[in-house]
Amino acid sequence: MKRKRKIGRMDKGFPLFLPIITVFCILGVIVILVARRTTREMSEAAIQNLNESLDLIQCTIEAILNKDAEFQKLMAQEIARCEDPEEYIRSYQKNQTMVKTALILTGETVGISSTGETFSEDELDFSSGGTIDGLDISSSYLNYMGTWAYSIRCPVVKGDREIGTLYVEYTYDSLDRSLPNSFYDNRAMLYIMDAKTERFVLKPKGMGERSAGHVNLEDYYRANDIREEALRAQVEECVRNGENIMFYHDIRGKSALNYMWTVNGGNIYLIGYVPVEAIQQEGKTVNQNILIVVTVMLVAFFLCCVLYYFNQRQQNKVRKEREAERELHNKQLAEALQAAQLASNSKTMFLSNMSHDIRTPMNAVLGFTTLLARDADNPDKVRAYTRKITASGQHLLSLINDILDVSKIESGKVVLNLEEFTLNDLVSSVDAIIRPMAAARSQKFHVTVKDIRHEYLIGDETRINQILINLLSNAVKYTPEGGNIWFRIIGLKQRSSQFEHIRIEVEDDGYGMTREYLKTIFDAFTRAENSTTNKVQGTGLGMAITKNIVELMGGTIEVTSEVDQGSLFQVDLEFRIPEGQADRLFWEKSGISRILAVDGNMQDCNTIQNLVSDLGISVDIVACGEGALSMLREDGSKGSYHMVLLDLDAPDMGDIRTVEEIRKALPETAPLLLMTAQGAEGPDSMEEVLRLGYTGVLTKPFFLSALKEKVAEIQAGGAGKMGEAQTDEEGSLEGLRFLAAEDNEINAEILTEILTLEGAVCVLAENGKLVLERFEESGEGEFDAILMDVQMPVMNGYDATRAIRALGRRDAAEIPIIAMTANAFAEDEREALKAGMNVHLAKPIDMGMLKKVIRQYVRKEGKQ
């Protein structure tokens, strides 16, 4: 009975077991089918994603090529408007995109390039017939830098006539900056191939590591073991027809999806592969989960359902991650495209701003020239027009100089000229420029120097001067009449004993700036916009140049400002301290080892003590004139103090009798120096004190070099005579004879008239060869100097100078040759000096500078 019951239970369980097995099998089959379908769909989605990524890369590259072609057309239009297209090409500076420009005039087989070399189209291959925005593009080639490049040629049309062809060379490396930094987590491979030569011209960064030396398509086949003739023939047919192709092939033992994607109508190709396991990463995860599900189904149906539920949730998570990754790739490609568009727009904006700012003063020059011709018989109007023409011309020249400075700084061509200089000379030169500007607007200009330990420093004095002039001239321009300008040089705590740490402060109580404008003040072509400041002329480049120079020197610049309260600029710089700057020998020979300083300002007293501390000179401080007299009388021995520094701003120093008493209390040969601020007036009857002998005026702020010069002057008996010597120095050009090379008729006429007004004689020649011939025909000493243009037909100024210096005549090696040229870069000056010229002057010529140079180099008896 028991056995029957047991068999009965087994009979009941077996039919139930069969349906369960059947259900398990059906579920297993369904799960397997679903898994395969999911894997297939995910693979198709991954391939579609690859297509979209390649399309975006294609669009990005084509957008860059089209923008380059569009910009080249603008260049061609600009060249067509130039009077000298070849000069435009020579002066054009290469950038990160365009490394070389060239021009071949119509009817000629060779032309010139921006690198200074001759250029021929024979070097390029345009036979592929490829175009970009209607312009022909060459096959790829290795340029002189060893970088793969291509050239685009564009006709230069003037009116309805083609006057030449513009060639611009671009490097493929410039495309790399606009491509995504990662491609399938760096597991995929991507090259850019030139379609005609089948050379690989670029491997973008972030596109997988080069596992074999892929140089061209054939090398790519060999390295990746692609040997099937049918497949290679199919690939060649697609390349020939400019079509896309994808095919599966094993790469180093792993299945991969290979692709060849056309760009710009098949001129170049995107070539590479993506491992199938990278494409099917999600599918692989699904298969692993399915294996787990099938295994678990053997345990229990319920557990199988639970695992299936978690599996579906995992699939959704992976799918979302994949979509997020695809969106990230799309975003990166879109950002790269936007960056390319912004770069193109910035070029257009720069040209637009430059055109507007140049045309504004040029319009004034041309307009007043027209009025000048109309009112030539009215002297008052002629003088008024010429003043306005001169002002507009100076503004135009400052704009051009600023643009050239920005261009040189951004291209990295600015090199600091580190030489020893003194803070005294720096402050004096700045004061001489800014103080008259401030006085013309009834402004007060305050100069303060404190806590300086070393006056002699090493740095680029010209660039420091440029920083100061930019900041101080802006302070004058943007401060109303009657305002205040403060210029401070403050010594900070030294970070190293070999460097002086200095802070420069420029403060004003002028219009001030808004917080919004402070964010862009150091950007090029930006100016504060309001009804008051709009009346002030400016290029909008001064602050950008200033910041770049400060950073080039390793310093920092900061600005704080409030509207209607004023602005404060702070520049922190470090300068090397030259060795052995303390001139003890001078002070020992002068017999000065003890000084009495009369000054109520302890800050000035500390400055004096700091600067003379290394010279073995002791300094006693007293606050007023009566105190100084007491110390001199109580000392007993009249010769204890070897010099007195007397601040005229000290208490009771307005009385001239106190100064006379101090002078009498000193030894007869002990210098008495009256210190006064620049532009300040001393007490009445100051001339009487200066006649007492060994008495002079020392301008504040206090500098050791100025003190040394004044002491030497007084001891030499030359007090008060400097002004006369400087006045007599000016002189004129009366009686001098010049040989001038100038091929431009207008410039030649201007130069002749200016020299004639100065009483000089000017003999003109149209080119360097005529100058050489005229000099050979002249008698020895007939000409006092040669004024040499550089860019001239037949023979340029450099060759003419070398030829003159090579003549056997004695005066050929001695006659001053002055370069007067529009080439204003530092390399142009070096080239002029290398050719044998004495000095380089950039056009437009400053007559004062020309006279100064002539006085320096022309030493002819009876004429200077």
Side-chain angles (χ1 to χ4, degrees), residues 370-385:
T370 303
L371 296 176
L372 189 64
R374 187 192 67 185
D375 298 324
D377 297 331
N378 189 329
D380 293 336
K381 289 189 176 181
V382 168
R383 283 190 289 270
Y385 293 158

Side-chain angles (χ1 to χ4, degrees), residues 625-646:
E626 290 297 331
L629 285 173
S630 298
M631 292 187 67
L632 290 171
R633 290 166 180 167
E634 291 174 1
D635 190 64
S637 60
K638 202 175 182 182
S640 294
Y641 287 107
H642 307 136
M643 181 169 59
V644 173
L645 302 177
L646 186 59

Side-chain angles (χ1 to χ4, degrees), residues 338-359:
Q338 184 179 8
Q341 293 172 342
L342 288 175
S344 177
N345 292 338
S346 65
K347 294 178 184 177
T348 304
M349 181 63 70
F350 177 80
L351 291 175
S352 175
N353 287 334
M354 184 172 64
S355 174
H356 172 270
D357 287 338
I358 287 178
R359 289 175 187 273

Side-chain angles (χ1 to χ4, degrees), residues 88-334:
Y88 180 94
I89 294 299
R90 292 191 187 95
S91 62
Y92 201 89
Q93 301 297 317
K94 74 175 183 178
N95 53 42
Q96 295 180 343
T97 303
M98 300 184 295
V99 298
K100 184 171 73 173
T101 59
L103 177 66
I104 299 180
L105 298 178
T106 302
E108 299 183 5
T109 59
V110 296
I112 53 92
S113 66
S114 59
T115 60
E117 302 173 349
T118 58
F119 177 81
S120 172
E121 186 179 330
D122 296 337
E123 304 169 1
L124 305 174
D125 181 8
F126 290 92
S127 62
S128 63
T131 61
I132 299 175
D133 196 15
L135 301 183
D136 295 335
I137 179 173
S138 72
S139 298
S140 303
Y141 57 89
L142 282 172
N143 64 9
Y144 69 98
M145 297 184 298
T147 302
W148 282 102
Y150 60 91
S151 290
I152 300 176
R153 65 181 179 186
C154 174
V156 180
V157 179
K158 187 172 186 180
D160 56 353
R161 180 172 61 90
E162 183 175 326
I163 63 171
T165 304
L166 172 64
Y167 299 82
V168 178
E169 179 179 288
Y170 305 83
T171 61
Y172 283 96
D173 290 342
S174 63
L175 301 177
D176 196 8
R177 295 186 294 273
S178 301
L179 297 180
N181 295 327
S182 178
F183 198 40
Y184 281 93
D185 296 328
N186 292 335
R187 299 176 66 185
M189 181 67 71
L190 172 66
Y191 291 95
I192 295 180
M193 181 189 78
D194 179 74
K196 181 175 182 181
T197 61
E198 295 186 350
R199 298 286 302 213
F200 287 5
V201 296
L202 178 65
K203 179 193 176 299
K205 62 180 182 299
M207 300 298 183
E209 297 182 359
R210 185 194 298 263
S211 57
H214 299 162
V215 176
N216 53 32
L217 186 59
E218 182 63 31
D219 183 62
Y220 180 85
Y221 287 155
R222 182 173 59 256
N224 297 297
D225 200 26
I226 300 176
R227 300 179 180 180
E228 295 84 351
E229 293 297 332
L231 178 59
R232 294 175 66 164
Q234 184 181 0
V235 170
E236 291 176 0
E237 180 67 18
C238 290
V239 172
R240 188 163 47 251
N241 297 330
E243 299 173 350
N244 300 331
I245 184 174
M246 283 188 175
F247 59 90
Y248 286 97
H249 193 278
D250 291 345
I251 303 296
R252 295 187 300 280
K254 294 183 178 181
S255 178
L257 178 60
N258 294 258
Y259 58 85
M260 300 185 68
W261 214 257
T262 62
V263 178
N264 193 35
N267 289 328
I268 57 178
Y269 267 80
L270 303 176
I271 293 182
Y273 62 84
V274 182
V276 172
E277 64 180 11
I279 297 176
Q280 298 180 343
Q281 182 65 39
E282 296 83 0
K284 183 178 180 181
T285 302
V286 172
N287 290 334
Q288 292 175 349
N289 290 334
I290 290 175
L291 179 61
I292 295 174
V293 171
V294 172
T295 303
V296 172
M297 282 194 314
L298 299 176
V299 179
F301 176 72
F302 176 77
L303 185 60
C304 177
C305 293
V306 172
L307 290 178
Y308 181 76
Y309 165 76
F310 282 110
N311 176 62
Q312 290 300 313
R313 190 170 68 173
Q314 179 68 16
Q315 288 185 34
N316 292 334
K317 180 181 178 180
V318 172
R319 187 179 293 106
K320 290 180 180 179
E321 291 177 352
R322 185 58 183 163
E323 290 175 355
E325 181 182 357
R326 181 172 59 188
E327 291 178 358
L328 178 61
H329 287 169
N330 294 342
K331 182 179 178 181
Q332 290 175 343
L333 291 174

Side-chain angles (χ1 to χ4, degrees), residues 698-711:
L698 184 65
T699 302
K700 292 195 296 184
F702 177 85
F703 285 109
L704 185 60
S705 59
L707 176 64
K708 178 180 175 181
E709 292 176 3
K710 185 60 67 174
V711 169

Side-chain angles (χ1 to χ4, degrees), residues 373-567:
R374 187 192 67 185
D375 298 324
D377 297 331
N378 189 329
D380 293 336
K381 289 189 176 181
V382 168
R383 283 190 289 270
Y385 293 158
T386 52
R387 284 196 303 270
K388 294 175 181 178
I389 290 173
T390 301
S392 298
Q394 291 294 337
H395 176 55
L396 180 61
L397 180 60
S398 68
L399 173 63
I400 293 173
N401 288 335
D402 284 349
I403 292 173
L404 293 178
D405 269 346
V406 169
S407 176
K408 288 192 292 184
I409 290 172
E410 291 182 348
S411 63
K413 290 190 175 181
V414 173
V415 179
L416 297 178
N417 183 22
L418 301 180
E419 294 180 347
E420 184 173 327
F421 69 96
T422 68
L423 290 177
N424 176 42
D425 292 340
L426 181 67
V427 173
S428 298
S429 63
V430 172
D431 189 279
I433 295 173
I434 300 301
R435 190 170 294 278
M437 295 172 57
R441 295 172 58 86
S442 301
Q443 297 168 343
K444 295 180 180 179
F445 183 47
H446 311 276
V447 180
T448 303
V449 177
K450 65 177 182 179
D451 300 333
I452 296 297
R453 298 170 182 80
H454 302 88
E455 177 188 350
Y456 293 85
L457 303 169
I458 295 177
D460 191 331
E461 184 177 6
T462 300
R463 291 297 179 181
I464 302 170
N465 191 72
Q466 186 177 4
I467 294 172
L468 297 179
I469 295 299
N470 278 345
L471 295 177
L472 288 168
S473 62
N474 274 354
V476 172
K477 287 190 293 184
Y478 292 101
T479 299
E481 292 189 3
N484 291 275
I485 311 295
W486 291 272
F487 170 36
R488 308 183 189 98
I489 296 181
I490 305 170
L492 303 179
K493 183 178 179 181
Q494 292 179 260
R495 298 169 180 167
S496 168
S497 60
Q498 298 178 340
F499 290 87
E500 182 79 5
H501 191 190
I502 290 178
R503 171 169 292 170
I504 298 170
E505 291 186 350
V506 174
E507 185 177 5
D508 62 72
D509 55 3
Y511 306 124
M513 294 170 281
T514 63
R515 293 183 179 180
E516 292 73 17
Y517 177 64
L518 287 177
K519 298 176 182 178
T520 61
I521 185 174
F522 296 113
D523 295 341
F525 290 108
T526 58
R527 295 180 58 216
E529 298 292 338
N530 60 58
S531 59
T532 301
T533 59
N534 282 348
K535 300 176 183 179
V536 180
Q537 282 190 336
T539 64
L541 292 172
M543 287 298 97
I545 294 172
T546 298
K547 185 174 188 295
N548 284 326
I549 295 176
V550 169
E551 292 179 347
L552 188 64
M553 293 181 175
T556 60
I557 181 170
E558 297 179 354
V559 56
T560 57
S561 182
E562 291 186 17
V563 176
D564 297 328
Q565 298 295 320
S567 303

